[in-house]
Amino acid sequence: MTAFSILDLCPIVEGGTTSDALSSTRLMAKQAEDAGFTRFWLAEHHGMKGIASAATSLVIAEAGHATSTIRIGSGGIMLPNHSPLVIAEQFGTLEALFPGRVDLGLGRAPGTDMNTARALRRNLEAGANSFPDDIVELQHWLGEPDDRMLIAVPGAGSHVPLWILGSSIYSAHLAAGLGLPYAFASHFAPDMLLEALDIYRSKFTPSAQLDAPYVMAATMGVMADTDAEANYLFTTLQQTFVNMRRNARGKMPRPIDSMDGYWNEMEKIAVEHTLRYAIVGSPDTAKQTMQDFIKATQADEIIISMPIHSIDARLKSVELFGKLRAAL
């Protein structure tokens, strides 16, 4: 049975506050655990009015306190924004708080616009180029300590499992070469999905962490009792992507009755292409779409992001996806 997981952005919705967003993330984590999901991950983004997970490790801890068995972690930490030692300390702390439950997914992008990226890093270009070396350094900090050298406390000896996140063939080669599990961001970058997965599987080299390739594919997901309701709820995400193209980012918008009149034809084509792997609909509709996605990717695990304005509808979607997994 293909594993299902949740990618949460701790969304700040129109009419809501950051405190509301954090409370909703705690509810989402508990619902994901109750529905049988494998992981609950949070993503690092900065300078975005609609996302409250910038201090990612802190929000992961909130998800951990709200649950007891589900794995928690990052999808991902944008490692070039940080010193590997600091990330080892943060995730070593999380592992000490929630033993055996923590994942550390790593990305190379800044997770924001370039002006914010410059504020986060002193050397923008070097940060991205040193990504492979930073991963190896991070593995050192999380590995067995050598008391003759500087150690990460907490962190040393924790062996928090690392994942490589990506949306290109670069990340596929890197994950394969390092022998790490690979998560592809097909929920917003679908174009290289199948090519990247082929490269990862064919080039994979076993490591101390992983004997064989392990693929996670990402999708947007909105499930409701009817197709009409799901499509209505999905307009929140469609508006969000149109607004990003217009550089008019804000809080997560309320759904609208129709996108006609909101987007122009070029925006419609672009957004529908970007979201072409989204799974939207009633249980019957979503089941067929999910089966097609799993067949195409042969993924070991599917991670689903649910950009739904209403927390009640979001929790219902988690419940329905949990039931869908059992029905596949």
Side-chain angles (χ1 to χ4, degrees):
M1 185 182 292
T2 306
F4 279 13
S5 292
I6 297 287
L7 175 63
D8 189 57
L9 299 185
C10 197
I12 307 171
V13 303
E14 287 183 354
T17 66
T18 301
S19 294
D20 295 333
L22 293 165
S23 295
S24 295
T25 282
R26 288 190 289 268
L27 293 173
M28 283 285 288
K30 185 65 171 69
Q31 183 79 321
E33 181 173 82
D34 292 344
F37 286 77
T38 299
R39 302 170 216 280
F40 186 86
W41 281 5
L42 286 133
E44 177 186 348
H45 290 282
H46 298 277
M48 295 187 179
K49 295 177 181 178
I51 297 177
S53 55
T56 316
S57 59
L58 291 178
V59 188
I60 292 169
E62 287 298 298
H65 286 302
T67 56
S68 58
T69 58
I70 194 170
R71 296 193 66 87
I72 54 174
S74 61
I77 290 292
M78 301 298 106
L79 189 55
N81 292 344
H82 311 279
S83 155
L85 175 60
V86 169
I87 297 304
E89 291 171 342
Q90 290 178 5
F91 278 76
T93 301
L94 288 169
E95 177 62 24
L97 288 167
F98 312 106
R101 296 175 56 199
V102 178
D103 300 315
L104 176 45
L106 301 167
R108 186 171 70 120
T112 185
D113 62 86
M114 298 314 293
N115 286 333
T116 310
R118 291 185 182 95
L120 287 164
R121 311 182 208 164
R122 292 184 177 179
N123 189 329
L124 191 63
E125 188 60 33
N129 290 337
S130 64
F131 183 52
D133 292 336
D134 286 347
I135 294 170
V136 173
E137 181 182 344
L138 184 55
Q139 288 177 316
H140 163 74
W141 296 126
L142 295 171
E144 290 306 310
D146 183 345
D147 289 337
R148 297 169 298 177
M149 304 174 66
L150 177 66
I151 61 173
V153 181
S158 63
H159 300 284
V160 174
L162 304 185
W163 290 65
I164 300 299
L165 280 57
S167 58
S168 69
I169 60 174
Y170 171 88
S171 56
H173 282 288
L174 182 59
L178 292 173
L180 295 175
Y182 183 43
F184 194 90
S186 38
H187 59 312
F188 69 83
D191 290 337
M192 296 185 186
L193 170 63
L194 300 182
E195 180 184 3
L197 297 189
D198 284 343
I199 289 170
Y200 170 68
R201 290 178 174 124
S202 65
K203 302 290 186 181
F204 182 84
T205 302
S207 68
Q209 180 178 326
L210 194 63
D211 294 331
Y214 190 94
V215 165
M216 175 190 283
T219 181
M220 300 292 189
V222 179
M223 283 187 70
D225 289 331
T226 66
D227 288 342
E229 183 183 2
N231 287 326
Y232 168 71
L233 296 173
F234 188 53
T235 62
T236 286
L237 182 62
Q238 292 170 319
Q239 291 175 79
T240 298
F241 272 79
V242 171
N243 294 343
M244 289 172 64
R245 291 178 61 84
R246 297 174 179 174
N247 198 27
R249 302 179 184 186
K251 293 184 176 182
M252 179 185 282
R254 293 179 174 87
I256 55 179
D257 290 333
S258 174
M259 288 296 292
D260 294 340
Y262 190 90
W263 54 15
N264 61 40
E265 188 62 24
M266 290 303 296
E267 290 169 337
K268 180 177 186 290
I269 291 170
V271 171
E272 288 183 344
H273 175 79
T274 298
L275 301 176
R276 72 174 187 259
Y277 288 127
I279 295 168
V280 181
S282 65
D284 288 342
T285 300
K287 180 179 180 181
Q288 184 59 57
T289 311
M290 180 65 81
Q291 286 175 329
D292 293 343
F293 187 59
I294 293 172
K295 182 179 180 181
T297 61
Q298 295 294 302
D300 301 286
E301 189 168 337
I302 305 297
I303 191 164
I304 308 163
S305 181
M306 301 189 194
I308 301 171
H309 181 276
S310 161
I311 182 56
D312 290 337
R314 219 180 307 159
L315 294 172
K316 177 67 175 293
S317 185
V318 173
E319 177 188 357
L320 290 174
F321 270 105
K323 291 178 178 178
L324 170 60
R325 175 180 173 272
L328 290 177

